[in-house]
Amino acid sequence: MDNHPQDLSDGCGRRIEYVRLSVTDRCDLRCTYCLPKGFVAFEEPGHWLTFDEMVRLVRIFAHLGVHRIRLTGGEPLLRRNLPALAARLNAIPGITDLSLSTNATQLARHAAALRHAGISRLNISLDSLKRERIEQINGRAAHERIMAGIMAAKAAGFAPIKINMVVLQGINDDEIDEMAGFCLAHGFILRLIETMPMGETGRTAGYLDLQPVRRRLKAHFGLIDTVLPGGGPARYLKAPDGRFSVGFITPLSQHFCDTCNRVRLSVDGTLYPCLGQDNSLALRPLLRGQATDAAIASAIRAAVASKPARHEFREAPGKILRFMSQTGG
Ligand code: SAM
């Protein structure tokens, strides 16, 4: 490869600067909108990219102009020695932003080491503050562990901490104000997410259009539009005194494909240029064959060049069969 970092752009002129890197497709929760109960068809360990392979790929991406990496899964903290991977990724020239998405069940044990390894920003999934509801929505009696994990993250000094709540009609949509109060009290940023029709679970879990919720919160709490750094798809409102922000991730009611700046890499080394389409590039055979970095970079360029213009979650809700946790959420 030549020595000059380059821009990675797609056929729609969107610049790709962000990779979501799945380190496992396994999860210790069974959220109703994600993995079906009893699901066992996980990738076999021999197909998981090794840390060396991930580091090599991230170096190549960094050379192509990517500077943000988010570790995700499955539940990333199930992958052994994750802080060691984080530290290696953080040391790659050009990577300026390393973040993690987690369900927090294992976070109490790992928060300090992850912070030390260079992860600064944390997204934590939390669909309810209520013990029984967590069990109902997330499929495990994990309330204490999740809360302990969130508080450990706060104590470890992650900033910002974003709380991701998937809002399900008739299940937790009555808890939005309480969740906002919790986030305000702890200095967290709340993000409300619409369910995406990924797999049968995503289609049937209880989609709620968040636009009316957004209008209600705006009027009721006197919130104003704002933009937060992070490069993600959320559209934010904030309190005029700046003490509270809430983001809306609304792929269905108001899609955000025009500003998409990311691609996803699943744990088996499949590159997905679009979460909501089936286009993919298998990088594992290249990594485990004799492909040079230049050959891998050029395969990535070609895959990104054909990144679909947008998902079709509305027009073709039955199209995507893989669950979110398989792609890397
Ligand atoms: N285990 C980590 C976590 O809980 O954040 C990372 C992976 S998880 C798949 C990433 C995010 O995807 C979570 O916030 C989860 O709620 C969300 N998610 C999973 N399936 C979804 C769906 N069908 N629609 C919308 N969000 C979904």
Side-chain angles (χ1 to χ4, degrees):
M1 286 198 295
D2 63 53
N3 289 324
H4 303 288
Q6 302 153 5
D7 282 355
L8 194 56
S9 294
D10 72 7
C12 302
R14 294 170 296 190
R15 199 168 152 220
I16 304 305
E17 48 169 29
Y18 183 7
V19 173
R20 296 182 80 121
L21 174 61
S22 175
V23 296
T24 181
D25 61 339
R26 293 173 191 237
C27 193
D28 54 345
L29 299 182
R30 289 291 178 276
C31 304
T32 52
Y33 48 79
C34 190
L35 268 186
K37 282 200 172 57
F39 180 84
V40 286
F42 295 108
E43 271 306 326
E44 52 182 272
H47 289 175
W48 301 349
L49 293 192
T50 63
F51 284 1
D52 284 349
E53 289 168 334
M54 290 179 187
V55 168
R56 182 179 174 202
L57 277 181
V58 171
R59 275 187 199 286
I60 294 171
F61 273 111
H63 193 81
L64 291 171
V66 164
H67 57 94
R68 294 190 161 140
I69 302 290
R70 173 171 294 276
L71 301 176
T72 184
E75 172 45 42
L77 296 185
L78 297 185
R79 181 86 187 237
R80 212 172 287 164
N81 294 330
L82 191 70
L85 174 67
R88 290 179 67 185
L89 297 178
N90 197 41
I92 293 175
I95 298 302
T96 56
D97 180 32
L98 184 63
S99 58
L100 171 76
S101 289
T102 176
N103 62 29
T105 60
Q106 320 277 321
L107 196 52
R109 270 191 295 146
H110 297 296
L114 290 165
R115 184 80 191 88
H116 188 69
I119 292 179
S120 51
R121 303 190 300 117
L122 210 55
N123 287 2
I124 299 179
S125 297
L126 182 69
D127 298 327
S128 174
L129 294 163
K130 301 186 201 310
R131 184 171 285 102
E132 311 74 44
R133 264 197 199 167
I134 286 185
E135 199 166 340
Q136 177 195 0
I137 300 171
N138 308 117
R140 295 277 190 277
H143 179 264
E144 272 76 20
R145 282 186 291 140
I146 292 171
M147 288 302 162
I150 292 174
M151 291 312 143
K154 185 180 174 188
F158 288 95
I161 294 175
K162 293 179 181 160
I163 299 291
N164 284 341
M165 175 186 190
V166 176
V167 184
L168 304 166
Q169 184 155 34
I171 295 175
N172 64 352
D173 52 343
D174 60 347
E175 228 188 305
I176 292 172
D177 291 13
E178 208 177 318
M179 193 69 92
F182 171 77
C183 290
L184 174 64
H186 289 285
F188 303 150
I189 295 168
L190 176 62
R191 301 191 326 157
L192 305 176
I193 303 177
E194 290 177 350
T195 47
M196 296 171 230
M198 300 197 61
E200 192 56 24
T201 44
R203 281 186 273 284
T204 53
Y207 168 76
L208 180 73
D209 179 342
L210 288 178
Q211 299 306 329
V213 173
R214 181 187 163 92
R215 285 193 290 273
R216 181 183 70 75
L217 289 178
K218 196 170 182 179
H220 190 68
F221 294 106
L223 304 178
I224 52 178
D225 291 295
T226 188
V227 177
L228 293 190
R235 294 183 172 92
Y236 286 95
L237 296 174
K238 69 170 183 181
D241 65 4
R243 284 178 62 230
F244 173 70
S245 311
V246 55
F248 296 82
I249 300 181
T250 55
L252 278 90
S253 66
Q254 192 181 16
H255 78 84
F256 37 72
C257 301
D258 292 351
T259 55
C260 187
N261 63 351
R262 64 199 55 198
V263 293
R264 287 176 160 82
L265 187 64
S266 64
V267 69
D268 67 345
T270 307
L271 183 71
Y272 291 98
C274 173
L275 180 64
Q277 297 285 0
D278 284 326
N279 311 42
S280 67
L281 166 67
L283 286 168
R284 193 178 74 242
L286 299 181
L287 287 164
R288 295 190 184 173
Q290 299 304 312
T292 60
D293 286 2
I296 292 175
S298 109
I300 290 172
R301 275 191 176 291
V304 167
S306 61
K307 178 176 163 73
R310 52 164 303 187
H311 66 68
E312 295 167 293
F313 286 148
R314 261 186 184 286
E315 302 86 334
K319 184 168 186 177
I320 302 301
L321 301 180
R322 56 183 198 277
F323 307 114
M324 181 76 92
S325 62
Q326 294 173 301
T327 311

